[in-house]
């Protein structure tokens, strides 16, 4: 019997209060199990930090540990709902790029149906005079197009979800599309 595909779960949920994070991750893992996949959350580690360790060293250990988790996964599903601004969480975006760079499929979802341009403002330039990207995409073109080029897809919620940053329905759509993608890779 082959082991299930391991799917890395990227997103800003790692910053949510612990109970909220656990509930969302539990639902993601449940939906993945329904398709025979194993969900891997960035907090699925037993990292402990010695009192003497600097914050920078702690950050480096977290980075290395999460990279190792991603290395052992077959694909990624990323929550790309804007977080702390008009764009997706930068750590999540890095994780998407890292997985794409390894040739692994990337799927994502967002609970914000506005385009990047709509969130950035109505003009062609921001208040500092910098141009605003306008490709009618959900986020920066490198994110959206990278996902598409990896064989994945970005799902955009059409309405409110279970949480401002999560919808079981939209996540389930990601998982179904991922299952089709991985199935077609076997052929």
């Amino acid at each position: 019997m082959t082991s299930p595909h391991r799917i890395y779960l990227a997103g800003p949920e790692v910053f949510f209060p612990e109970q909220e994070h656990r509930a969302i991750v539990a639902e993601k893992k449940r939906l993945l199990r329904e398709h025979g996949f194993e969900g891997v959350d960035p907090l699925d580690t037993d990292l402990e930090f010695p009192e003497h360790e600097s914050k920078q060293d702690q950050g480096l250990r977290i980075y290395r540990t999460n990279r190792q988790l991603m290395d052992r996964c077959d694909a990624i599903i990323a929550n790309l709902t804007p977080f702390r601004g008009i764009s997706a969480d930068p750590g999540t975006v890095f994780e998407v790029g890292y997985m794409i760079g390894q040739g692994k499929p990337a799927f994502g979802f967002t609970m914000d149906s506005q385009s990047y341009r709509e969130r950035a403002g109505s003009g062609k330039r921001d208040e500092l005079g910098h141009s605003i990207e306008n490709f009618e995409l959900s986020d920066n073109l490198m994110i959206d197009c990278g996902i598409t080029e990896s064989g994945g897809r970005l799902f955009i919620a059409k309405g409110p979800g279970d949480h401002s940053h999560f919808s079981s329905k939209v996540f389930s759509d990601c998982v179904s599309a991922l299952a089709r993608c991985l199935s077609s890779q076997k052929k």
Side-chain angles (χ1 to χ4, degrees), residues 47 49 53-68:
L47 278 177
F49 302 107
E53 189 173 43
S54 73
K55 291 292 186 187
Q56 291 85 5
D57 287 341
Q58 290 175 5
L60 183 59
R61 282 202 312 126
I62 292 169
Y63 164 78
R64 288 176 176 160
T65 299
N66 287 346
R67 241 187 49 208
Q68 289 171 355

Side-chain angles (χ1 to χ4, degrees), residues 92-107:
T92 301
V93 172
F94 172 85
E95 291 167 328
V96 168
Y98 184 82
M99 294 292 277
I100 290 171
Q102 291 186 4
K104 297 175 182 179
F107 285 77

Side-chain angles (χ1 to χ4, degrees), residues 147-162:
I147 287 172
T148 301
E149 288 289 302
S150 79
R153 181 174 163 200
L154 178 65
F155 289 83
I156 301 169
K158 305 277 189 263
D162 313 327

